[in-house]
Amino acid sequence: MNPSIVERLRSAGRLDRVFIDGEWVVPQGQARSSVIDPSTEEPVAEIALGTAQDVAAAVAAARRAFATWSVSSAQSRALLLDRVHSLILERAELFAQAISLEMGAAIGFARSTQVPSAAQHIRVARDNLASYSFVTHRGDMAIMREAIGVCGLITPWNWPLYQITAKVGPALAAGCTVVLKPSELSPLSALLFAEVMQDAGIPPGVFNLVSGNGPEVGAALSAHPDVDMISITGSTRAGVLVAQAAAPTVKRVAQELGGKSPNLILPDADLARAVPAGVAAAFRNVGQSCSAPTRMIVPRARLQEVERIVLEAAASFVVGDPRSEQTTHGPVANRAQFNRVQEMISIGIAEGARLICGGLGRPEALSRGFYCRPTIFTAVHPQMQIAQEEIFGPVLALIPYDSVDEAVEIANGTVYGLGAHVQGEDLGAARAVAARIRSGQVHINYPAWNPHAPFGGYKRSGNGREYGIEGLEEYLETKAILGFQDASAPSTD
């Protein structure tokens, strides 16, 4: 463990406080929560948890600040976001160490992906704000896009900084004020982010952070009548609870929820290219991504060849201490997730899927920590639990098909529709298949990540979109003013 992150936050008094109305304040309750290092299963810090009363204070501060922030110039908001972006990059190593400590990300992955991708969300929000037309004209109408109001933002533990910036950036760009509830399981990077916001000069009340659990803080935020919008990233179960709590006040609810994403390997795909990249994508962040392509749908005639390649790809993984430069995959983030992965591996074995890699328990030589063995099942039937349920861990299912129509049916055959992949040499055929998949994003032949691409789900994967222009517009209301008359048009007086 590198104690510098915890000691830095402790000495500054951050672990004992929430951030409300521009100040670090002691929460009104006595509840506390331990931060567990998943590589050792030992507590490394303790944070104070907020209460419904703290949520009320934060919402009141956000409501007061909205009156001025919502009418501030786009230029001033863009300058603030530019300072936030710069500070994240300046403190990138602090963020990377915090993420590695709090949720077990390999330090190399935290440095190369978790932190830079989070900074990109702020940059994109800034750039979109600079070019966005908040007022357009249609005949004698003015179509105005205005900030929706006070936004409650609920973020998960698996991409702790990335999901914060994906919400805070566009919300602030739109002119909204926010109350953030980060996951109490990985709160250290969120506290560092609140420091960034303060040091960037955010006006009091525009950004507030209340640490806490879902039943107390999340529920209070969702139900609060002065919150105009809730945006949650989390499990489908959590999304349903938030939507139910928000319903009586008819607030907007944006949900980025679970997934069971397919990776459809077409018959003409170059397996030497398509399969190793698919294995890497499925096990990225130790499989703890809602859009992880953990169902590889492959031609039955090429199944044995795919099995050989996936085993070669998995053999390159180094599972171990997340602070080691040699580690490619650390532990899963917490005990509940470790238990979930073990349970689903047991179910896969009981269902009759053929285990060709990994299995139950920790990797050899690792006697403690929430480490899971990278696990691959083959000959998986599409209706097996391991092919239908989100596992959120390093478990890949190989599902054979006999025709492309059957492959598309399998791809669409879950309650989810968040991400998807299609691999094939004939780009026209791949595009045609991509168009048939019911999913918020489809990646053809592993393109580079694009922070401008809208992201969100069909079916039980959620409602609404994040990232890019669509992510900005999620935080805007539309107002039509009839009889406005375009000022550029000739006068009729």
Side-chain angles (χ1 to χ4, degrees):
M1 182 192 82
N2 185 341
S4 62
I5 297 298
V6 173
E7 291 306 317
R8 182 185 185 281
L9 291 168
R10 182 180 290 119
S11 63
R14 306 308 186 220
L15 298 177
D16 299 320
R17 290 171 170 79
V18 294
F19 187 72
I20 297 175
D21 207 13
E23 301 289 340
W24 291 93
V25 299
V26 176
Q28 298 186 39
Q30 302 298 317
R32 305 183 70 82
S33 178
S34 293
V35 180
I36 305 298
D37 178 351
S39 69
T40 65
E41 305 181 41
E42 297 294 332
V44 294
E46 193 174 67
I47 64 163
L49 298 182
T51 66
Q53 290 74 29
D54 296 302
V55 169
V59 171
R63 177 59 63 194
R64 290 192 298 270
F66 180 72
T68 52
W69 182 253
S70 62
V71 296
S72 62
S73 70
Q75 182 182 23
S76 66
R77 299 200 299 273
L79 287 172
L80 185 282
L81 289 171
D82 189 62
R83 293 194 294 273
V84 172
H85 179 252
S86 295
L87 285 171
I88 291 175
L89 295 180
E90 286 177 17
R91 302 175 189 181
E93 182 60 21
L94 285 174
F95 279 113
Q97 290 183 29
I99 292 167
S100 184
L101 177 62
E102 69 190 354
M103 57 77 61
I107 189 64
F109 182 74
R111 288 169 177 157
S112 67
T113 304
Q114 287 260 10
V115 177
S117 299
Q120 283 282 74
H121 286 311
I122 299 294
R123 180 191 64 79
V124 167
R126 177 202 66 193
D127 292 350
N128 286 337
L129 172 59
S131 61
Y132 190 77
S133 296
F134 287 88
V135 180
T136 58
H137 296 275
R138 193 182 307 161
D140 72 342
M141 288 189 297
I143 309 298
M144 306 186 72
R145 306 302 300 274
E146 299 178 336
I148 191 170
V150 175
C151 298
L153 310 178
I154 300 174
T155 57
W157 47 259
N158 58 322
W159 290 82
L161 180 63
Y162 176 97
Q163 290 293 349
I164 287 172
T165 58
K167 297 181 190 299
V168 172
L172 296 184
C176 297
T177 56
V178 306
V179 179
L180 170 67
K181 189 207 89 66
S183 171
E184 72 278 16
L185 299 178
S186 54
L188 304 180
S189 54
L191 296 173
L192 291 174
F193 181 77
E195 286 189 338
V196 162
M197 298 303 294
Q198 185 178 37
D199 293 346
I202 193 78
V206 173
F207 170 86
N208 306 273
L209 181 151
V210 180
S211 299
N213 60 34
E216 173 87 8
V217 172
L221 197 56
S222 303
H224 200 293
D226 283 337
V227 172
D228 300 287
M229 173 180 171
I230 288 286
S231 177
I232 176 174
T233 297
S235 67
T236 299
R237 181 193 61 82
V240 169
L241 292 173
V242 165
Q244 289 172 337
T249 50
V250 199
K251 54 175 58 72
R252 182 180 298 174
V253 179
Q255 304 161 308
E256 193 263 278
L257 306 176
K260 191 68 177 177
S261 299
N263 188 357
L264 203 165
I265 312 294
L266 290 172
D268 71 334
D270 177 359
L271 296 187
R273 178 198 60 80
V275 174
V279 174
F283 288 97
R284 182 171 176 249
N285 205 35
V286 200
Q288 298 169 121
S289 298
C290 45
S291 60
T294 54
R295 292 185 297 144
M296 186 175 288
I297 304 170
V298 303
R300 191 178 303 275
R302 307 187 74 183
L303 180 59
Q304 288 187 342
E305 189 178 356
V306 170
E307 291 171 355
R308 176 183 59 79
I309 297 172
V310 296
L311 288 174
E312 292 173 355
S316 68
F317 295 164
V318 179
V319 180
D321 182 356
R323 262 75 73 186
S324 169
E325 302 285 347
Q326 286 70 48
T327 294
T328 61
H329 295 72
V332 295
N334 52 68
R335 183 176 300 279
Q337 201 53 42
F338 177 83
N339 291 342
R340 167 69 175 174
V341 171
Q342 300 305 309
E343 176 190 16
M344 292 304 294
I345 292 173
S346 293
I347 288 171
I349 294 170
E351 288 180 312
R354 183 157 56 89
L355 184 67
I356 60 172
C357 177
L360 293 167
R362 297 179 179 88
E364 293 181 12
L366 293 171
S367 59
R368 66 172 182 168
F370 303 131
Y371 294 99
C372 296
R373 300 170 67 189
T375 296
I376 300 173
F377 286 99
T378 189
V380 175
H381 188 278
Q383 297 307 311
M384 288 180 177
Q385 280 185 254
I386 57 170
Q388 288 289 316
E389 296 185 18
E390 185 175 45
I391 300 173
F392 224 62
V395 181
L396 174 64
L398 304 184
I399 306 174
Y401 69 86
D402 295 304
S403 70
V404 171
D405 286 343
E406 181 192 8
V408 171
E409 182 179 354
I410 293 169
N412 289 333
T414 74
V415 297
Y416 299 109
L418 189 59
H421 291 252
V422 177
Q423 319 304 327
E425 295 299 294
D426 183 337
L427 186 57
R431 287 170 175 163
V433 169
R436 297 171 63 188
I437 294 178
R438 300 278 295 169
S439 176
Q441 274 194 0
V442 184
H443 298 237
I444 297 176
N445 293 332
Y446 307 113
W449 176 68
N450 187 341
H452 290 278
F455 181 71
Y458 286 36
K459 300 185 282 186
R460 296 187 195 176
S461 286
N463 294 295
R465 292 295 179 267
E466 294 188 308
Y467 315 169
I469 290 292
E470 289 77 9
L472 172 66
E473 291 181 334
E474 201 69 36
Y475 295 91
L476 296 171
E477 283 283 21
T478 301
K479 177 189 290 180
I481 303 181
L482 286 73
F484 185 92
Q485 298 186 10
D486 187 345
S488 65
S491 173
T492 57
D493 292 344

